[in-house]
Amino acid sequence: MLEHGGRLRRAAQHYGIPLPDWLDLSTGIAPWVYPLPQIDTRHWQRLPEDDDGLVEAACAAYGAPHVLPLPGSQAAIQALPTLFTPQPIAVLAPSYAEHAHQWQRAGHTLAPFSDAAGLAQRMASCNIVVMVQPNNPTGWHLGRDALRQVAAELAGRDGLLVVDEAFIDADPALSLAPFSASRGLLVLRSLGKFYGLAGARVGFACGEPILLARLREAIGPWPVNGPARWVATAALRDATWQRNNGQRLRQASQRLAMLLRAHGLTPDGGTPLFQWLRHPQAQAIHAALARRGVLTRCYADPASLRFGLPGASPFVSEPCSGDAANADARAWQRLADALAQLRDAHLC
């Protein structure tokens, strides 16, 4: 099984720092959680039902004609490769490693690419293209019009463009979900990052009905539990909260980029949910920050770091909005102090 960010308990044990004392920037999850609605007891007592409003809420929120609820988009990432005979697959790299891992695990041959020129070259021999847009961890985005052209070309030869949009919610105008009913395109969406609800394990596949039906058969019945469906429906219907959260995420990400630059760490890319930078001392910086209770995501190839947005620790109760705002401010100051200490130690 691949390693992922968010292993905070393991870091706490390794560095001997209690969980409440950490600033976890490793996950790229929004530090502000959607305000959870009251969950009626019946959602715990009964099996989930398809006509509970979740599908309609997701279609409206994403502008997608057809959606399939998932227990996190990871379920589709694992199931989708098994629906196709082994063949060369063009996969964006570096990117979210589960895509390449699952296609290779299903017997496919990987043909990595890193930019538009590389994609054009790979399409000469690949009928399936897999991309994360904006990319995780680099933040690179090809552009919606260019991606639609890729999907159209692949559809003409019965191919498929898979676009994972886990980090796109703060920039909805970039999404391909409204065009996902067309042949040759499958779009994955996730509730975990933008809404701060990673623990709910809710995602969606947006695509043509025939492909969604095959995915549903592969994943099985009742993929999303009742309470999670209830919370997801409320979040997807709350357009006002979505607009406000998108704005504050974009502002926070710009602030993070400025803070990193001020300490000699200039980002090479990012999204409203994280900043990414290459650095030859990435591992040393990651370890030095961890010793100070600040957890980042470190990558070996290329040597780089991903910084999520600072926010209050989920392991510390904040009883009111004022205290939460103070906790956010303390998180930002803590990161600034840790970066200053690294700079004094000539690590950045």
Side-chain angles (χ1 to χ4, degrees):
M1 187 176 295
L2 296 179
E3 291 290 325
H4 296 284
R7 298 293 186 102
L8 186 59
R9 294 183 186 276
R10 186 170 65 181
Q13 183 178 16
H14 179 77
Y15 290 97
I17 300 173
L19 282 172
D21 295 338
W22 280 88
L23 176 60
D24 186 6
L25 309 180
S26 70
T27 65
I29 297 170
W32 305 293
V33 181
Y34 180 76
L36 299 178
Q38 184 69 35
I39 299 177
D40 192 288
T41 305
R42 71 178 185 275
H43 297 297
W44 296 102
Q45 291 178 306
R46 298 182 58 82
L47 287 171
E49 297 183 277
D50 292 339
D51 57 355
D52 60 358
L54 175 59
V55 168
E56 291 78 8
C59 286
Y62 300 144
H66 313 286
V67 305
L68 172 67
L70 303 166
S73 53
Q74 179 66 31
I77 293 172
Q78 290 185 213
L80 187 63
T82 67
L83 304 183
F84 297 88
T85 57
Q87 58 187 285
I89 307 295
V91 182
L92 180 62
S95 191
Y96 180 56
E98 284 287 346
H99 287 286
H101 177 67
Q102 297 299 336
W103 284 96
Q104 191 170 43
R105 185 182 180 194
H108 301 272
T109 303
L110 303 183
F113 66 93
S114 60
D115 54 23
L119 171 59
Q121 182 180 15
R122 292 304 190 190
M123 285 183 62
S125 58
C126 298
N127 289 331
I128 297 179
V129 175
V130 182
M131 307 178 68
V132 179
Q133 297 281 286
N135 190 31
N136 172 25
T138 68
W140 178 70
H141 194 282
L142 182 57
R144 187 162 76 170
D145 291 341
L147 287 172
R148 291 186 66 189
Q149 292 177 4
V150 170
E153 181 177 338
L154 291 171
R157 43 185 153 122
D158 294 324
L160 180 68
L161 171 63
V162 181
V163 183
D164 182 345
E165 296 185 342
F167 289 95
I168 210 166
D169 295 76
D171 294 308
L174 301 177
S175 175
L176 286 176
F179 312 101
S180 57
S182 304
R183 289 180 58 247
L185 178 61
L186 182 73
V187 176
L188 302 179
R189 298 295 293 261
S190 173
L191 209 74
K193 305 297 185 181
F194 178 79
Y195 294 90
L197 294 172
R201 306 307 304 137
V202 180
F204 300 91
C206 312
E208 59 175 329
I210 293 176
L211 181 55
L212 295 185
R214 294 177 64 197
L215 258 182
R216 177 169 184 165
E217 189 68 22
I219 292 171
W222 309 298
V224 182
N225 68 76
R229 292 180 70 101
W230 178 253
V231 171
T233 301
L236 290 166
R237 287 174 174 170
D238 198 337
T240 299
W241 187 90
Q242 293 162 19
R243 286 192 299 270
N244 293 339
N245 196 48
Q247 181 178 5
R248 65 178 173 177
L249 286 173
R250 290 188 293 271
Q251 292 173 345
S253 187
Q254 292 171 5
R255 178 182 177 184
L256 177 59
M258 292 175 61
L259 178 62
L260 291 171
R261 281 195 294 268
H263 291 86
L265 298 172
T266 300
D268 294 279
T271 74
L273 282 157
F274 62 80
Q275 292 292 322
W276 176 76
L277 61 102
R278 297 172 182 261
H279 200 287
Q281 297 295 319
Q283 184 61 52
I285 293 172
H286 169 79
L289 287 171
R291 287 193 294 271
R292 293 164 172 82
V294 178
L295 187 61
T296 59
R297 184 69 193 277
C298 187
Y299 300 88
D301 187 19
S304 56
L305 293 163
R306 190 187 67 190
F307 289 77
L309 302 179
S313 170
F315 296 95
V316 178
S317 298
E318 299 292 344
C320 66
S321 59
D323 288 341
N326 290 335
D328 284 347
R330 290 193 296 271
W332 281 96
Q333 187 59 54
R334 182 172 178 186
L335 176 58
D337 292 343
L339 292 173
Q341 292 170 9
L342 260 63
R343 193 166 190 178
D344 291 342
H346 305 291
L347 284 173
C348 59

